[in-house]
């Protein structure tokens, strides 16, 4: 079963990974990470190249230790993006057989039955418009720890139940955008 949490209160900025990783006992080191749909502004050019890896397409593949080193040296805010964490024995070849996760426009975050986008992921960390952070995992201990270290975070399933009107409004807006794109030959980016 997938559990999740949302953090949208109590921080001066959201999805600064240095603080999140430190408070979460550096859990990221246990995974390899697929970074997709990313909008972020690292100051160091090498870090920017690494997290965007444009030569591979619209994703980056990075191990947890390298991700840790990047955010320790360059603590920038992630505006949009999905960081999908995979057990070390899951191959990149298998991972890339599936659609790449995305944050901007994904409706599934706001539904009652939450699910991670990538079926092989163990954890997904989402930066949503720089205004909130979502964390989902099949490992309840990760979510429990997140809610302990960020006491203003909320259970994502409960949040979605309380905010069904918001989810319906979001879904209608996305349907309108999808209709516009279809009529005008535009693609979602």
């Amino acid at each position: 079963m997938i559990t999740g949490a949302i953090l949208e209160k109590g921080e001066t900025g959201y999805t600064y990974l240095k603080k999140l990783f430190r408070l979460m006992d550096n859990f990221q080191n246990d995974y390899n990470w697929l970074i997709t749909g990313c909008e972020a502004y690292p100051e160091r050019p090498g870090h920017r190249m690494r997290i965007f890896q444009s030569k591979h397409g619209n994703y980056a593949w990075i191990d947890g230790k390298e991700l840790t080193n990047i955010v320790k040296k360059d603590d920038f805010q992630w505006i949009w993006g999905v960081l999908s964490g995979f057990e070390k024995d899951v191959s990149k070849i298998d991972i890339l057989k599936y659609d790449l996760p995305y944050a901007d426009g994904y409706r599934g975050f706001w539904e009652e039955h939450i699910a991670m986008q990538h079926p092989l992921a163990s954890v997904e960390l989402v930066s949503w418009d720089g205004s909130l952070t979502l964390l989902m995992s099949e490992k309840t201990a990760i979510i429990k720890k997140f809610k302990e270290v960020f006491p203003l975070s909320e259970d994502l399933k409960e949040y979605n139940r309380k905010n069904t009107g918001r989810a319906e409004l979001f879904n209608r807006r996305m349907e309108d955008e999808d209709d516009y794109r279809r009529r005008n030959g535009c693609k979602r980016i």
Side-chain angles (χ1 to χ4, degrees):
M1 181 175 87
I2 305 300
T3 58
I6 180 171
L7 179 62
E8 66 171 353
K9 298 176 193 159
E11 298 293 310
T12 55
Y14 296 88
T15 322
Y16 283 92
L17 297 183
K18 182 177 181 178
K19 176 181 177 181
L20 190 149
F21 290 163
R22 181 179 46 81
L23 293 175
M24 296 283 296
D25 300 324
N26 290 304
F27 80 101
Q28 76 283 356
N29 289 326
D30 297 334
Y31 300 96
N32 288 324
W33 294 89
L34 178 69
I35 303 170
T36 54
C38 183
E39 179 183 340
Y41 302 97
E43 290 185 23
R44 295 178 179 210
H47 295 164
R48 185 170 181 76
M49 287 175 53
R50 186 66 181 110
I51 66 167
F52 288 103
Q53 289 186 16
S54 59
K55 67 180 181 177
H56 296 297
N58 198 19
Y59 72 90
W61 178 249
I62 190 169
D63 72 34
K65 291 185 192 304
E66 185 178 0
L67 180 58
T68 301
N69 288 332
I70 288 172
V71 300
K72 276 185 178 177
K73 294 175 184 171
D74 197 355
D75 190 25
F76 53 92
Q77 184 180 21
W78 299 66
I79 307 301
W80 288 104
V82 179
L83 288 83
S84 303
F86 299 88
E87 299 293 338
K88 300 276 186 175
D89 62 347
V90 180
S91 76
K92 182 171 98 170
I93 292 169
D94 288 338
I95 289 164
L96 293 177
K97 291 177 182 175
Y98 297 91
D99 291 337
L100 296 177
Y102 59 97
D104 188 4
Y106 180 64
R107 296 179 180 112
F109 299 136
W110 314 116
E111 295 175 358
E112 186 176 342
H113 301 288
I114 57 174
M116 292 186 292
Q117 289 184 67
H118 201 291
L120 302 179
S122 294
V123 60
E124 282 187 349
L125 175 62
V126 179
S127 177
W128 200 85
D129 197 21
S131 62
L132 59 87
T133 302
L134 300 169
L135 183 66
M136 292 161 281
S137 181
E138 60 189 16
K139 298 181 178 185
T140 56
I142 291 175
I143 303 305
K144 182 179 178 190
K145 178 71 174 179
F146 184 83
K147 291 195 287 190
E148 284 174 13
V149 300
F150 294 104
L152 295 178
S153 65
E154 296 180 58
D155 179 273
L156 185 55
K157 192 173 188 176
E158 289 301 315
Y159 177 90
N160 289 343
R161 276 193 200 129
K162 288 190 306 190
N163 292 289
T164 55
R166 180 178 175 182
E168 289 168 8
L169 179 62
F170 176 80
N171 284 335
R172 274 194 307 259
R173 189 185 76 193
M174 294 311 300
E175 288 168 3
D176 290 345
E177 284 183 25
D178 288 344
D179 287 342
Y180 174 84
R181 285 187 178 96
R182 271 192 298 277
R183 284 192 313 270
N184 294 292
C186 302
K187 293 182 181 177
R188 181 176 298 284
I189 55 171

